[in-house]
Amino acid sequence: MRIAAVAAGGLALAGLGGAVAFHRAGEGPDGAATPYSREVVDRQGRLLRPFQTDDDMWRFPGAVGEVDPLFLRMLTAFEDRRFASHLGVDPLALARAGGQWLRNGRIVSGGSTLSMQVARLIDKREDGRTMAVKLREMARAVRLERELGKQRVLDLYLSLAPYGGNVEGIRAASLAYFGKEPRRLSPGEAALLVAIPQSPEARRPDRHPEAARRARDRVLDRMLLAGVLKPEQVASGKAERVPVARRQMPAFAWHASGEAMAARPAERVHRMAYDRTAQETLEALLRERVRALGTRLSGALIAIDHRSGEVIARIGAADPLDHERQGAVDMTRAVRSPGSTLKPFIYAMAYEAGLAHPETLIEDRPSRFGTYAPANFDRGYQGTVPTRVALQMSLNVPAVALLEAVGPQRFYARLEQAGIRPVLPRGEVPGLAVGLGGVGLRLADLAALYAGLARGGEMPELVERQGLPQPAGRPVTDEAAAWHIGDILTEAPAPDAALTGRLAYKTGTSYGFRDAWAVGFDGRRTVAVWVGRPDGSSVPGITGRTAAAPILFDAFARLGPPAAMPPRPAAATPMSHAQLPAPLRRFGPSREEASDTRDLKIAFPPDGVRVDLGAARGEMEQLVVRTTGGRPPFTVLVDGRPAGRFGAQRQANVLPDGPGFTTLSVVDGEGRSASVTVRVE
């Protein structure tokens, strides 16, 4: 025995000498070349979706600070008790291994330290248990510790340790076997993760659960003897069930993650503005609700923090992997008919231009606009109603009448100026049908427009990636008009079992029951929902109110308590119908106006007013001129230059020459005239 001990001691010294020799020969660490899985993470760094490496591995960089300290104590106690004190090679462990070698005539245990194991994992070309291989591992371990230090060596072990199949590193293993990050592990979980790398294929719990359990229990027993665990911890660890299948890696924000990866393939970590909790919660909600609505249906949802413009969650399909529902199609980016969801912006422009007020009366009765004869969804009519009620009830005839007054081309141009790219059929120009869904929009565009209403008329540029500068917002309407629209939509009838008054929202249903929409906002968040079939086929009976609105309200409920709406701005003066100026009490010519041919007046714009037409931004808009009295036809002049003619509708859109003072004149059919001077900005 004495001879064996001496020989073992000589072996240990030979090992150290060999390590030094290899070290001097220049063998160095090359773990930096190891490819790691690319990741898409949320605003807090939580994993949304990882991607396999080019060699089809799940492998993440490990870090001591991101792993449960209990696992680290168990790992060093089981694998390398003197890790903190040796220089990469443990002489006592080598002496033990040498004694076993001399007694058995072969290597029984290699006396490997964690540093030596890392050296072997880095250089995967080395194979076998020969003395030459061991000496090379020792050399590399010495250099690893000298150049990288203890913590970095341990980081490399946490990154590269094999866990069976294409899983390497503790983070990948914890996600694959437990479905969670390794920051907090139970004693049983930690013991299993310590045991598997010793024989990764034979102890894979998804293939050999009984072998994995036995190996885990041996680790637990050793930890009791080492004083790392208490008896009750060992007992609870042995009582834990061993996982018998691998879990799917996280796959949240499927379409957005793939889009981010394709845009910047060289980046390993993509940090998005999303919130994983919201993303996960809303994905589950959308998937559950759409499945209940029927087959072949899909859905999409965007949630925005409109104060910052950051996207909280974006869901392109109810189930991205469901081929029957065409889940591969990202419906947040698809161009579809928005139905009635653009109506609030027609009203906003009418309010902004002084053509109407929430309390202005408007007619909802069968009407023709040239060859266009819109009808309400239920084929009924409400008669004379305030524009507030007309918008809340989503009446079609009043919306078209206001759009005619605003001008469909001007309305279309305003959408473009706000950064939206509406799509018209080839060869078409903006017409009155635009207000009822006769244009194509993306869900992301619609969400941004409503976020603009929520922000007082300034539409944000949506931010999906962290670290990007916040672009300047673009105006979609003025502050007073935006507030009025929000106030009106807050009182819109809520879907069944939901409370009215908690958020401002609007629904829409496209022609032929192809698309169901619901968009809404509170004081902080804007959410937009689409439901339908990605191929554009009809879904008889589907509507925004019955299919999309319940999802919208549930989405807000799951995002937390509603945020208070902003207070009324000073420009949005509260007025009753009786307090309105005469031209604003009723939209369109009243009986009195139609019969009054004596006093021609310009009702809008008032004399001396300042009018913001976007001249300073280089995006001059048209100015609405409206008259009372006189006899049609009317001719309008801008600074003495004829700019247009109009008849019984008593209004026209004109384009001033530029910023500064402009004189507007109107001459009626009998030669009477009226003029005002305004300042164009």
Side-chain angles (χ1 to χ4, degrees):
M1 292 297 293
R2 181 177 180 81
I3 295 174
V6 171
L11 178 63
L13 291 174
L16 286 173
V20 172
F22 274 104
H23 170 59
R24 288 175 179 172
E27 283 288 326
D30 56 1
T34 302
Y36 292 110
S37 295
R38 292 177 293 172
E39 306 172 45
V40 178
V41 301
D42 79 345
R43 60 181 65 188
Q44 298 177 24
R46 295 176 294 182
L47 187 62
L48 289 169
R49 184 184 175 193
F51 292 78
Q52 289 176 276
T53 62
D54 291 340
D55 55 350
D56 295 325
M57 299 296 292
W58 292 114
R59 183 191 300 120
F60 303 95
V64 169
E66 297 177 0
V67 176
D68 193 322
L70 175 63
F71 170 83
L72 298 175
R73 293 197 302 272
M74 294 173 67
L75 175 67
T76 53
F78 190 83
E79 292 280 5
D80 193 350
R81 287 181 294 169
R82 286 173 287 277
F83 176 73
S85 59
H86 64 61
L87 301 178
V89 177
D90 185 351
L92 295 177
L94 285 176
R96 184 193 72 243
Q100 292 172 339
W101 174 58
L102 290 173
R103 286 193 300 272
N104 295 276
R106 59 184 176 86
I107 296 177
V108 177
S109 66
S112 293
T113 62
L114 286 171
S115 305
M116 292 170 63
Q117 294 181 49
V118 169
R120 183 168 63 252
L121 293 169
I122 287 176
D123 194 349
K124 295 182 179 181
R125 295 169 300 174
E126 299 285 9
D127 194 15
R129 298 170 67 86
T130 66
M131 184 57 68
V133 171
K134 279 296 173 187
L135 290 176
R136 185 176 295 275
E137 288 177 8
M138 294 176 197
R140 190 179 293 276
V142 170
R143 189 165 186 183
L144 280 171
E145 292 225 358
R146 179 175 177 178
E147 296 189 1
L148 302 180
K150 293 285 185 183
Q151 178 168 319
R152 179 59 184 145
V153 168
L154 196 51
D155 287 345
L156 285 172
Y157 180 87
L158 298 175
S159 305
L160 304 176
Y163 282 92
N166 64 343
V167 177
E168 288 186 0
I170 185 174
R171 187 179 180 208
S174 184
L175 289 168
Y177 294 127
F178 309 131
K180 67 179 184 180
E181 299 283 353
R183 294 187 183 92
R184 296 190 66 180
L185 298 170
S186 69
E189 291 169 342
L192 184 61
L193 294 179
V194 168
I196 294 175
Q198 293 179 341
S199 186
E201 291 304 323
R203 296 176 179 178
R204 282 182 60 172
D206 59 323
R207 292 189 177 179
H208 309 287
E210 185 57 28
R213 184 193 63 78
R214 289 195 300 268
R216 178 201 66 183
D217 291 353
R218 283 195 295 271
V219 172
L220 290 169
D221 290 336
R222 284 272 299 276
M223 293 304 100
L224 178 62
L225 294 175
V228 176
L229 295 179
K230 297 177 181 179
E232 57 270 21
Q233 290 177 298
V234 173
S236 66
K238 290 184 177 182
E240 293 179 26
R241 297 182 61 184
V242 171
V244 296
R246 275 175 48 174
R247 296 172 181 258
Q248 295 291 332
M249 288 290 175
F252 301 113
W254 181 273
H255 298 92
S257 296
E259 183 181 294
M261 197 66 66
R264 294 176 175 83
E267 291 185 22
R268 201 193 70 78
V269 178
H270 299 257
R271 187 178 291 271
M272 309 299 285
Y274 305 156
D275 179 272
R276 172 168 162 163
T277 301
Q279 182 77 32
E280 184 175 0
T281 299
L282 296 179
E283 283 188 16
L285 168 67
L286 189 65
R287 183 168 54 251
E288 171 192 338
R289 289 305 185 88
V290 170
R291 284 177 179 172
L293 288 171
T295 60
R296 296 174 52 206
L297 284 169
S298 188
L301 184 150
I302 294 182
I304 304 167
D305 182 336
H306 54 242
R307 295 177 183 175
S308 65
E310 291 184 326
V311 177
I312 301 170
R314 176 180 147 207
I315 308 168
D319 188 343
L321 301 180
D322 190 330
H323 298 294
E324 183 185 19
R325 299 179 189 274
Q326 297 178 278
V329 181
D330 182 357
M331 295 307 299
T332 65
R333 304 300 199 202
V335 176
R336 305 299 289 252
S337 165
S340 296
T341 56
L342 288 179
K343 285 179 182 175
F345 302 93
I346 298 172
Y347 283 76
M349 286 188 67
Y351 294 165
E352 175 189 300
L355 299 174
H357 180 274
E359 303 305 327
T360 298
L361 297 179
I362 193 167
E363 297 298 322
D364 178 42
R365 61 183 72 254
S367 303
R368 298 189 68 86
F369 300 85
T371 59
Y372 186 45
N376 289 324
F377 187 79
D378 62 359
R379 301 295 175 178
Y381 297 91
Q382 302 298 315
T384 303
V385 295
T387 62
R388 168 188 296 276
V389 174
L391 178 55
Q392 288 171 348
M393 298 183 68
S394 196
L395 302 177
N396 286 342
V397 173
V400 173
L402 289 172
L403 180 58
E404 183 186 48
V406 168
Q409 292 185 326
R410 182 181 177 213
F411 178 71
Y412 187 88
R414 176 68 66 86
L415 295 179
E416 290 187 314
Q417 290 165 9
I420 300 302
R421 294 293 176 265
V423 178
L424 289 169
R426 186 181 298 273
E428 292 290 329
V429 297
L432 294 178
V434 166
L436 303 185
V439 68
L441 280 185
R442 305 181 309 160
L443 183 67
D445 295 332
L446 202 58
L449 282 170
Y450 276 78
L453 288 177
R455 284 163 53 105
E458 183 185 84
M459 196 181 90
E461 292 284 350
L462 302 189
V463 176
E464 295 197 60
R465 286 180 61 90
Q466 286 271 296
L468 296 182
Q470 171 65 48
R474 300 185 183 187
V476 65
T477 187
D478 66 23
E479 185 181 27
W483 186 90
H484 280 308
I485 297 301
D487 182 57
I488 291 170
L489 296 181
T490 301
E491 296 302 319
D496 295 341
L499 296 176
T500 297
R502 301 188 64 138
L503 60 115
Y505 91 107
K506 182 74 181 73
T507 61
T509 306
S510 67
Y511 178 78
F513 300 100
R514 291 176 171 84
D515 307 275
W517 306 81
V519 195
F521 57 87
D522 61 13
R524 180 177 179 180
R525 294 170 291 250
T526 299
V527 177
V529 177
W530 171 88
V531 176
R533 289 178 177 158
D535 61 6
S537 59
S538 178
V539 186
I542 193 173
T543 67
R545 180 173 174 79
T546 59
I551 298 174
L552 176 75
F553 275 73
D554 276 356
F556 272 97
R558 298 192 185 192
L559 288 173
M565 292 290 195
R568 180 193 295 267
T573 306
M575 301 181 73
S576 66
H577 178 264
Q579 293 172 318
L580 292 175
L584 284 179
R585 291 178 185 170
R586 180 181 291 272
F587 179 79
S590 64
R591 296 184 182 88
E592 293 79 7
E593 289 176 335
S595 62
D596 184 2
T597 61
R598 292 172 296 176
D599 297 326
L600 174 66
K601 295 180 181 179
I602 296 179
F604 184 87
D607 188 40
V609 74
R610 293 186 179 187
V611 183
D612 183 4
L613 298 181
R617 299 185 294 274
E619 302 174 343
M620 179 76 77
E621 297 180 9
Q622 291 183 315
L623 175 63
V624 176
V625 178
R626 186 180 182 199
T627 67
T628 60
R631 185 184 296 278
F634 302 93
T635 301
V636 60
L637 301 93
V638 177
D639 291 327
R641 169 180 54 83
R645 291 173 61 85
F646 56 97
Q649 72 269 28
R650 294 183 172 272
Q651 65 183 45
N653 298 324
V654 299
L655 186 66
D657 294 331
F661 289 99
T662 295
T663 299
L664 303 172
S665 303
V666 175
V667 180
D668 74 355
E670 295 184 355
R672 290 184 286 263
S673 65
S675 298
V676 296
T677 299
V678 299
R679 182 171 179 173
V680 175
E681 296 179 346

